[in-house]
Amino acid sequence: MKLASVKETIDMASETTSDGAGENTESPFDAAAKAFGSTASGIKEQAEAKAREYAGQGKDRAVDALDNVASLVSDAAAAVDEKLGDQYGGYIRQAADAVSGLANNLREKDADELVDNARDAVRNSPAIAIAAAAAVGFLIARVVKSGLTPNTPANDGAEPRTPTPSPANETSPTA
């Protein structure tokens, strides 16, 4: 609901505060409170819809990424078979199957189910949830830090300076 419609609601409520017989049916404050409640519930519904939309998009991206990882790991299994033997290649295929199974599990569930599962996991084992959150935070910090590190030398891209020996001390380098 827009601000103009809230104002219109308040104006209409103040016009209809009496029914002609002098009885007050609704005060302007009550009308404003109802309009605010209506606006707040509309905003809440829009926010929930957007959150579900973004969660669905994130889930789809995660499923695609997991499918790509499973494919890469499966491809690597053949190379491991050649270099290290079938036993190690089998371990890698099992890992690829586990990643693929996770992708399929995510694909089948909607965002609300995933949120409920995450809540249950945190309730059942909060220590693991805290450790996982710390690990994810650490990884994000490392990624951000590596992305912020400039690729230029410390002197801001200028040509590196070579020390010139002083005429008096050409034979002994100074540290």
Side-chain angles (χ1 to χ4, degrees), residues 3-28:
L3 186 60
S5 62
V6 171
K7 185 178 181 223
E8 291 172 3
T9 304
I10 293 171
D11 290 341
M12 288 185 341
S14 63
E15 290 174 2
T16 61
T17 56
S18 64
D19 61 358
E23 294 179 20
N24 286 338
T25 58
E26 189 174 71
S27 72

Side-chain angles (χ1 to χ4, degrees), residues 63 66-67 97-109:
V63 167
L66 287 172
D67 284 338
D97 290 342
V99 172
S100 181
L102 177 62
N104 289 334
N105 193 9
L106 284 176
R107 188 178 289 116
E108 292 171 359
K109 293 185 178 184

